[in-house]
Amino acid sequence: MQLSEIWFVLIGVLFVGFMFLEGFDFGVGMSTKFLAKNEVERRMLNHTIGPLWAANEVWLITAGGAMFAAFPHWYATLFSGYYLPFVVLLLALIARGVAFEFREKVQSERWVNTWDWSIFLGSILPPFLLGVLFSSLIKGLPIDADMNMHAGFFDIVNVYTVVGGLAFVTLSYLHGLMFISLKTTGSLRQRASREAQKWYAISGGVIILFTILTAVYTEAFSEKGSILIPMYTLVIILYGVLFSLLRNKKEGLSFTMTGIILIIITSSFFIALFPNVMISSTELAHNITIYEAASGDYSLRVMTFVAATMIPIVLAYTIWSYYVFRKRVTKKEHLEY
């Protein structure tokens, strides 16, 4: 296996890890508008992810940095063509992060409401934009022989990519509800469980529609069907199992199940792409492969050494953080807040 292939897999793992970890963060952020009934419950929801969200976003930052260093041509084409969506994504994440820190600094209804909307929009926009990004990558974009992307609005935003974005949003919300049921107590925990049962059908319908549209609008199943068809079949089976887990209030297993489904769906985009990093919709010869986009061997060797040294440290810190903040958030402690 070549170093360029290893780094493509590693970048895929980073995005998968981001969607698994930050997926429930996004879901919790959305729930502050859909689920919380008062200020105490909104504080409870924010505090379930308060110690964790920043560490989870490191996965996305690392993925972008790894892409820049390992595949500069991929980075240049992607970020230049997606300049506006990436700016919106960045601003949404910044507003969300600032809101967690600022909303309780001033006891003013207008102040708190502004930051609550920042948390909500900063939680719903990123998974939607990432879903649009991943979907358009495997659908194909207008790329010329010089690796320049000339994408118009409807090349990026169309029926298929919008459904892909909605699939990520609804699944992240469901994943977040599972996390809330694990991290809270009392009526909030019970409502999260009931809300998850309501959203189960909605999210499942969007996932099925996205799977059908993937077969219609892309070459993913025709070219990688031997891998992708079993993967999506497994998603449907696991989603069926999830219904029983939700009904029987198996919170830990339900959270694990939504996480696995997110992992499989996110992984499928990178499997569909390989060995390309960008697929051209205008000319097959203009596809950008991982070998054409990769840095030199020396750069990849140095990066591999650094990654092998640092990744275990990052993983150990992440596991330690989740262990330290493993306890449930209670209403009593927030009434006294």
Side-chain angles (χ1 to χ4, degrees):
M1 194 173 187
Q2 298 183 26
L3 286 175
S4 56
E5 295 171 344
I6 291 173
W7 273 95
F8 179 79
V9 172
L10 180 57
I11 290 171
V13 168
L14 289 169
F15 276 108
V16 168
F18 174 77
M19 286 311 305
F20 173 78
L21 294 172
E22 194 71 350
F24 67 76
D25 274 5
F26 292 144
V28 172
M30 293 180 224
S31 72
T32 57
K33 286 294 182 185
F34 290 125
L35 191 69
K37 290 187 174 182
N38 51 53
E39 173 61 17
V40 172
E41 290 187 346
R42 278 187 285 273
R43 285 206 304 265
M44 288 176 65
L45 291 174
N46 289 334
H47 289 183
T48 62
I49 57 174
L52 306 171
W53 68 268
N56 294 342
E57 288 189 1
V58 169
W59 290 71
L60 180 64
I61 296 168
T62 306
M67 187 186 295
F68 172 77
F71 299 101
H73 295 298
W74 183 14
Y75 181 92
T77 302
L78 184 65
F79 277 70
S80 60
Y82 280 93
Y83 185 80
L84 181 58
F86 277 132
V87 168
V88 175
L89 173 63
L90 182 62
L91 291 176
L93 291 174
I94 291 173
R96 179 171 174 266
V98 171
F100 284 131
E101 303 298 329
F102 277 26
R103 75 176 300 276
E104 295 171 13
K105 300 295 184 183
V106 177
Q107 298 303 313
S108 163
E109 183 178 350
R110 184 176 180 181
W111 173 272
V112 171
N113 191 52
T114 298
W115 295 118
D116 282 345
W117 275 106
S118 298
I119 291 172
F120 174 73
L121 293 175
S123 296
I124 200 170
L125 284 174
F128 178 76
L129 291 171
L130 287 172
V132 169
L133 164 65
F134 290 142
S135 301
S136 59
L137 282 179
I138 64 172
K139 183 177 182 294
L141 292 156
I143 300 171
D144 63 24
D146 297 319
M147 300 186 185
N148 295 315
M149 187 197 303
H150 304 282
F153 178 80
F154 292 108
D155 291 311
I156 298 174
V157 181
N158 49 67
V159 172
Y160 176 63
T161 60
V162 168
V163 172
L166 292 176
F168 269 59
V169 169
T170 56
L171 191 51
S172 292
Y173 183 51
L174 189 62
H175 194 40
L177 290 171
M178 296 297 95
F179 185 74
I180 293 167
S181 69
L182 280 174
K183 291 290 290 181
T184 61
T185 60
S187 61
L188 186 58
R189 176 187 179 186
Q190 294 170 3
R191 286 207 311 279
S193 180
R194 291 196 298 268
E195 182 80 354
Q197 293 181 44
K198 294 177 183 177
W199 276 85
Y200 173 85
I202 298 172
S203 181
V206 175
I207 291 172
I208 291 172
L209 177 60
F210 175 71
T211 305
I212 294 171
L213 293 180
T214 298
V216 173
Y217 283 96
T218 77
E219 303 296 326
F221 287 125
S222 60
E223 295 182 358
K224 303 286 175 58
S226 59
I227 301 174
L228 293 179
I229 291 175
M231 287 179 70
Y232 275 88
T233 301
L234 179 59
V235 166
I236 293 171
I237 293 172
L238 293 178
Y239 210 82
V241 173
L242 177 61
F243 180 75
S244 176
L245 296 175
L246 288 172
R247 291 288 299 272
N248 292 293
K249 294 182 170 53
K250 303 291 185 181
E251 296 165 345
L253 289 174
S254 297
F255 175 75
T256 302
M257 199 65 68
T258 53
I260 292 173
I261 292 169
L262 261 173
I263 287 171
I264 294 174
I265 291 176
T266 308
S267 300
S268 70
F269 289 104
F270 291 90
I271 292 170
L273 269 179
F274 186 85
N276 303 300
V277 291
M278 299 287 291
I279 295 175
S280 175
S281 59
T282 55
E283 181 65 46
L284 187 64
H286 296 166
N287 288 358
I288 306 174
T289 67
I290 59 175
Y291 313 107
E292 296 169 335
S295 295
D297 285 342
Y298 178 76
S299 297
L300 293 177
R301 283 199 301 269
V302 172
M303 288 174 59
T304 303
F305 175 78
V306 173
T309 304
M310 298 303 297
I311 286 178
I313 298 174
V314 173
L315 289 175
Y317 169 74
T318 301
I319 294 170
W320 177 81
S321 296
Y322 277 84
Y323 176 77
V324 170
F325 298 105
R326 67 190 182 279
K327 293 183 179 179
R328 291 182 183 270
V329 176
T330 64
K331 188 172 184 178
K332 180 180 178 181
E333 63 189 14
H334 286 79
L335 286 171
E336 300 170 352
Y337 186 79

